[in-house]
Amino acid sequence: MAGFFETKIEFLKGVGPQRAGLLNKELNIYTFGDLIQYFPFRYEDRTRIHKIKQINATMPYVQIKGFIRDYELSGKPYKQRLTAHFSDDTGEIDLIWFQGAKWIIKKLKPEVEYLVFGKPNIFKSRLYIGHPEIDINAEIKKDSLFLQPVYPTTEKLKSKYIDSKVIAKLQKELILKAPSYIKESLPEKLIRDFNLMKRDTAYKNIHFPVDNSNLTAARFRLKFEEFFYLQLRLLKLKLSRYNRFRGQVFAKTSLLNEFYHRHLPFELTKAQKKVIREIFSDMKSGHQMNRLLQGDVGSGKTIVAFISMLLAIENNAQTVMMAPTEILTEQHYNGLKKYADKLKLRIAILTGSTKKSIRKEILDDLESGKIDIIVGTHALIEDNVRFKNLGFAIVDEQHRFGVAQRAKLWKKNMDIPPHVLVMTATPIPRTLAMTLYGDLEVSVIDELPAGRKPIKTVLQFDENRLKVFGFIRKQIQAGGQIYIVYPLIEESEKLDLKHLMDGYESLSRAFPEYQLSIVHGKMKSADKDFEMKRFINKETQIMVSTTVIEVGVDVPNASVMVIENAERFGLAQLHQLRGRVGRGAEQSYCILMCSQKLSSDAKTRLETMVRTNNGFEIANTDLSLRGPGDLMGTQQSGVLDLLIADIAKDGKILQIARESAKSILEDDSELIKEQNSNIKNHIATLRRDAVNWSRIS
Ligand code: ADP
Ligand code: MG
């Protein structure tokens, strides 16, 4: 039964071994199931017929009806161009073929009415349609003209005469046979509640829509289904982890209260308090916590982490904080030590450059339980790092670490795994977080501490560089420090490095009275750290660098961020870079340098930066500009390879699909109730059909 969709594509009428090979290679279509899930990316409405007089070159596609008056061949014999003069009762237009003239000519007949379809263009103020589709009008079945599917193809396929039309033909063949094999995958109740189209009808209509409203309903149904199964899988994962892994119960709170009432240097924001409550309730639950903490740069994640650590420490557990770079690790260490000292807690730092003798002492103290807090880089996950009782692990800037690295940290406690908090300053839109981190609990710090001055952001064209230099000079004279960042993009690394070096030289000439630091990815990390520290210690006033300074570094005295070629950066990156300033009491500035010529996307990005400092707003714009696949930290995630649903555009459907999956699991976590049998059966076919399953697992 389910075997039907596993049938090899070569056995479909009209395919055969040769075409099958092409479909395998070019489109990843191996089976009937793959083909039916190869959806059109748009539809052409062929019901409308234009008059030639109405046509202009800005129209995407037009359809015209008329006669071929005559035609001519031009150009060299092996590169012949065919021009046919086509007219209706309102005017004339040229149909031009640059290839295959020989074959086309044989088809052209006088006195026969044709239906022509294609994209109008203009050349030397004369309209033409290049490589149009032409059919004899009388031979066309009129009912086939409504909303024709257009499928993505490749150059290779087209050269072997497998174009969108051929794929549509194959789909038609398949759809004739398929309906009785298409089993409903959703429970009756969901179909009723959300008025969903039946599954078999939806597959018919997504390929060959009867009309617009059926197409809309088919799309909705298939998107819903795709999100539903994705969310169901994530939620099941979360549930099974919740049930499988116990967590240490942290209940004593007197140390925490002491810190809170006697040493906390500022009032926590509402958002910080809310997040701390969420973390505490997890840590008391008896189940392992797996929580993502999102908070914009400067929102105060560190203190939340520290206060949470106190709860673990007071209950006889050790804590770790892992960060992606040595500089960040040191800054965390210094920041946390200030607090830890007040409470006489023992804190240590472990990185790649920790000296051997000290390292040995630290490792011993960790194992005997003498150290309460260890801050470190991935040096922490080495096998010889052992704890007496690791109760709580925090990972900062989690997208910099691989899944395997994080998992190693979890395994540091054999008995009961540590509670885990991963932190990120990269704001992720809610819909994306639901999917990307759908198996984690998510906490958000959505407000900044009071009294922060919003960073002022301006655009400056390259011609105004001298003015910008003047501004920089004033800022340094007032005691500020400056970042100047150059893009570094893989493909032209050499060229970019040259830009950076040229920039550094011209800055040295422009500011002979000041000291400059330079940092880029090609430097040894010890040299990078050295330069970075000179800047942190105010020995240098200007930091010239590539994006290596992007992550987490904190120099409160830096008040100006200049970004060169700002149009070449993505929004998330611009926002991260800007977050390096605005950390102190002074007014801070971000200057986006760019050329006058900007693409419309680049313009939107830069204007967004000027308009807002809100990371979530920026992330939403980013998502709609680029789609989810390119957002920071999402690259390796298979969960975003969706067939039809679109996380950027279909947020509402995602939301209801997730809620539906959740309420079903809450009621029937093993999916054994009769009303959920459709789900159970569908999951079984997904498992069997490994190709499809791998797409969403
Ligand atoms: P991030 O979330 O980017 O890691 P940090 O934890 O480094 O932010 O905090 C940024 C700065 O804000 C730090 O200097 C910190 O001491 C300060 N801070 C954190 N919370 C508050 C608060 N509630 N009120 C005032 N200042 C705060
Ligand atoms: Mg931080």
Side-chain angles (χ1 to χ4, degrees):
M1 278 286 281
F4 177 79
F5 288 109
E6 285 153 46
T7 313
K8 290 223 169 71
I9 195 68
E10 68 171 289
F11 300 117
L12 185 68
K13 197 174 146 205
V15 180
Q18 211 178 0
R19 278 186 163 178
L22 284 163
L23 291 170
N24 294 170
K25 247 212 211 110
E26 293 292 300
L27 303 180
N28 251 328
I29 295 175
Y30 289 86
T31 63
F32 285 9
D34 293 337
L35 181 64
I36 206 164
Q37 293 189 71
Y38 193 70
F39 299 124
F41 70 103
R42 61 183 177 85
Y43 301 82
E44 277 164 2
D45 183 356
R46 303 281 300 266
T47 52
R48 170 127 198 242
I49 293 173
H50 289 88
K51 292 290 182 192
I52 290 177
K53 202 174 64 178
Q54 306 167 324
I55 295 175
N56 63 62
T58 66
M59 299 164 102
Y61 287 92
V62 296
Q63 184 166 239
I64 47 183
K65 198 164 68 175
F67 297 87
I68 291 170
R69 298 293 168 217
D70 52 30
Y71 56 79
E72 72 220 16
L73 281 167
S74 51
K76 303 196 177 100
Y78 57 91
K79 256 178 87 174
Q80 266 183 332
R81 185 175 76 216
L82 171 65
T83 305
H85 305 294
F86 187 83
S87 61
D88 64 8
D89 51 7
T90 69
E92 189 180 282
I93 190 169
D94 289 346
L95 310 179
I96 302 184
W97 287 266
F98 300 94
Q99 280 148 23
K102 263 200 308 204
W103 308 105
I104 308 287
I105 278 186
K106 288 186 193 159
K107 280 192 11 189
L108 302 183
K109 297 179 191 131
E111 310 297 321
V112 171
E113 192 178 43
Y114 286 99
L115 200 59
V116 169
F117 178 80
K119 161 93 185 96
N121 276 309
I122 199 154
F123 182 69
K124 293 199 174 152
S125 73
R126 208 177 147 78
L127 275 174
Y128 73 94
I129 299 179
H131 288 261
E133 283 177 30
I134 70 166
D135 292 289
I136 294 172
N137 190 35
E139 289 176 1
I140 286 202
K141 281 202 212 98
K142 294 295 178 243
D143 63 350
S144 73
L145 288 180
F146 181 81
L147 292 183
Q148 296 202 333
V150 183
Y151 297 91
T153 54
T154 64
E155 283 310 313
K156 178 94 188 276
L157 284 177
K158 276 189 217 149
S159 75
K160 305 276 182 193
Y161 305 103
I162 303 182
D163 57 8
S164 170
K165 271 200 157 164
V166 169
I167 295 174
K169 232 179 181 162
L170 300 178
Q171 296 284 16
K172 194 143 237 171
E173 191 61 41
L174 184 57
I175 286 287
L176 276 176
K177 300 200 184 110
S180 64
Y181 299 100
I182 300 176
K183 294 272 167 280
E184 184 49 69
S185 63
L186 296 172
E188 282 306 318
K189 184 173 176 336
L190 276 188
I191 293 181
R192 269 197 318 273
D193 285 356
F194 296 110
N195 201 10
L196 299 174
M197 187 178 252
K198 297 262 178 215
R199 192 157 186 254
D200 51 353
T201 321
Y203 271 105
K204 264 192 257 176
N205 275 282
I206 199 74
H207 292 291
F208 304 103
V210 183
D211 58 26
N212 255 320
S213 68
N214 274 284
L215 174 59
T216 308
R219 271 199 181 127
F220 187 88
R221 146 80 212 207
L222 294 172
K223 287 176 177 183
F224 183 96
E225 175 181 325
E226 188 165 38
F227 278 143
F228 178 83
Y229 277 96
L230 177 62
Q231 292 300 332
L232 193 73
R233 191 174 65 77
L234 292 168
L235 290 166
K236 274 203 84 150
L237 197 67
K238 185 160 142 184
L239 197 67
S240 74
R241 201 160 51 194
Y242 182 81
N243 291 328
R244 199 162 97 219
F245 295 115
R246 287 183 300 140
Q248 303 192 41
V249 178
F250 299 148
K252 283 190 245 164
T253 58
S254 53
L255 179 69
L256 195 103
N257 284 325
E258 183 194 335
F259 179 77
Y260 198 90
H261 295 296
R262 301 205 16 220
H263 304 295
L264 190 64
F266 37 67
E267 174 78 6
L268 294 177
T269 62
K270 266 208 202 90
Q272 285 172 317
K273 286 184 192 163
K274 178 193 70 187
V275 168
I276 290 173
R277 273 199 301 276
E278 288 167 350
I279 294 172
F280 282 11
S281 103
D282 283 0
M283 287 187 167
K284 280 192 300 208
S285 72
H287 298 274
Q288 187 207 15
M289 170 171 81
N290 270 292
R291 190 170 276 281
L292 171 75
L293 173 55
Q294 275 194 67
D296 215 338
V297 281
S299 62
K301 293 184 290 297
T302 317
I303 192 74
V304 168
F306 181 76
I307 290 175
S308 310
M309 284 171 156
L310 291 181
L311 190 63
I313 294 166
E314 179 168 15
N315 290 276
N316 301 319
Q318 293 165 287
T319 62
V320 352
M321 178 179 295
M322 185 162 78
T325 65
E326 290 209 0
I327 290 190
L328 207 54
T329 304
E330 264 175 47
Q331 289 195 339
H332 274 317
Y333 174 74
N334 294 331
L336 294 176
K337 191 168 182 342
K338 264 189 267 163
Y339 301 136
D341 286 349
K342 293 199 172 128
L343 298 171
K344 310 223 158 31
L345 300 178
R346 291 146 304 177
I347 179 169
I349 177 167
L350 187 71
T351 70
S353 51
T354 305
K355 294 220 172 58
K356 236 186 176 165
S357 55
I358 298 177
R359 173 182 304 259
K360 173 146 193 335
E361 199 183 318
I362 291 175
L363 293 182
D364 289 346
D365 288 352
L366 277 177
E367 197 156 7
S368 65
K370 273 192 204 143
I371 290 175
D372 300 309
I373 301 173
I374 180 92
V375 184
T377 56
H378 38 257
L380 285 170
I381 57 178
E382 278 166 27
D383 288 338
N384 57 6
V385 179
R386 279 182 286 264
F387 294 83
K388 182 162 181 231
N389 177 24
L390 177 61
F392 183 31
I394 298 166
V395 180
D396 196 21
E397 304 297 346
Q398 57 77 34
H399 64 274
R400 296 272 160 151
F401 293 99
V403 176
Q405 284 175 312
R406 277 185 270 156
K408 268 196 162 166
L409 201 53
W410 308 172
K411 297 220 177 86
K412 293 282 177 193
N413 226 42
M414 273 313 164
D415 225 11
I416 302 184
H419 294 293
V420 172
L421 183 69
V422 297
M423 307 201 293
T424 177
T426 307
I428 303 161
R430 240 172 79 76
T431 51
L432 194 55
M434 263 181 215
T435 304
L436 213 48
Y437 302 111
D439 58 336
L440 302 182
E441 301 293 339
V442 177
S443 289
V444 180
I445 305 183
D446 52 7
E447 72 185 306
L448 295 180
R452 290 275 168 82
K453 290 199 182 101
I455 301 163
K456 283 192 183 146
T457 303
V458 293
L459 269 188
Q460 281 292 354
F461 295 115
D462 294 334
E463 299 86 273
N464 297 335
R465 190 167 301 275
L466 282 182
K467 208 171 122 196
V468 173
F469 281 2
F471 178 75
I472 289 176
R473 178 164 285 113
K474 272 208 196 110
Q475 288 289 313
I476 300 178
Q477 281 162 359
Q481 285 171 287
I482 318 290
Y483 287 107
I484 301 181
V485 176
Y486 286 79
L488 190 53
I489 296 173
E490 300 280 328
E491 304 123 50
S492 56
E493 242 178 76
K494 263 195 192 139
L495 203 67
D496 284 326
L497 201 56
K498 185 174 173 319
H499 278 156
L500 176 75
M501 291 325 242
D502 290 352
Y504 176 76
E505 265 166 38
S506 81
L507 285 160
S508 310
R509 264 180 270 119
F511 298 99
E513 70 274 41
Y514 298 127
Q515 301 297 315
L516 276 65
S517 281
I518 183 164
V519 170
H520 58 78
K522 287 270 165 289
M523 287 162 67
K524 289 209 192 85
S525 69
D527 296 340
K528 264 191 279 190
D529 282 3
F530 178 79
E531 282 293 315
M532 208 54 229
K533 276 179 197 152
R534 289 205 318 143
F535 188 64
I536 292 170
N537 298 333
K538 302 190 195 169
E539 289 163 34
T540 62
Q541 287 76 42
I542 301 176
M543 163 60 75
V544 183
S545 82
T546 58
T547 51
V548 291
I549 55 132
E550 176 189 320
V551 170
V553 191
D554 197 12
V555 183
N557 195 50
S559 59
V560 181
M561 166 65 64
V562 180
I563 303 176
E564 294 284 346
N565 292 111
E567 71 272 17
R568 285 175 61 187
F569 291 85
L571 259 179
Q573 229 178 3
L574 289 172
H575 181 64
Q576 283 293 308
L577 287 170
R578 178 168 63 182
R580 298 304 106 222
V581 298
R583 317 199 126 224
E586 299 305 312
Q587 174 64 53
S588 292
Y589 302 88
C590 175
I591 301 172
L592 304 170
M593 303 295 300
C594 62
S595 68
Q596 298 263 15
K597 267 193 240 150
L598 294 175
S599 71
S600 86
D601 274 10
K603 219 182 222 157
T604 309
R605 287 197 298 271
L606 299 179
E607 281 166 5
T608 305
M609 288 296 293
V610 172
R611 187 183 72 239
T612 180
N613 275 298
N614 182 323
F616 284 93
E617 194 180 332
I618 289 172
N620 276 321
T621 308
D622 203 19
L623 182 62
S624 63
L625 281 180
R626 293 203 290 172
D630 290 325
L631 292 194
M632 204 184 260
T634 66
Q635 285 85 349
Q636 318 126 313
S637 177
V639 294
L640 296 175
D641 294 338
L642 297 170
L643 291 174
I644 183 162
D646 180 334
I647 289 183
K649 295 189 187 120
D650 302 323
K652 282 227 177 75
I653 309 179
L654 171 57
Q655 184 115 18
I656 59 169
R658 181 173 169 94
E659 275 157 21
S660 305
K662 202 166 164 191
S663 73
I664 285 173
L665 284 177
E666 271 162 12
D667 170 61
D668 180 16
S669 65
E670 295 305 315
L671 302 169
I672 42 183
K673 291 194 179 169
E674 175 54 28
Q675 72 254 33
N676 293 325
S677 60
N678 283 353
I679 302 181
K680 196 164 183 147
N681 295 336
H682 186 65
I683 290 177
T685 64
L686 288 176
R687 293 233 164 90
R688 200 163 43 228
D689 189 354
V691 176
N692 289 334
W693 184 240
S694 72
R695 282 204 188 118
I696 52 171
S697 63

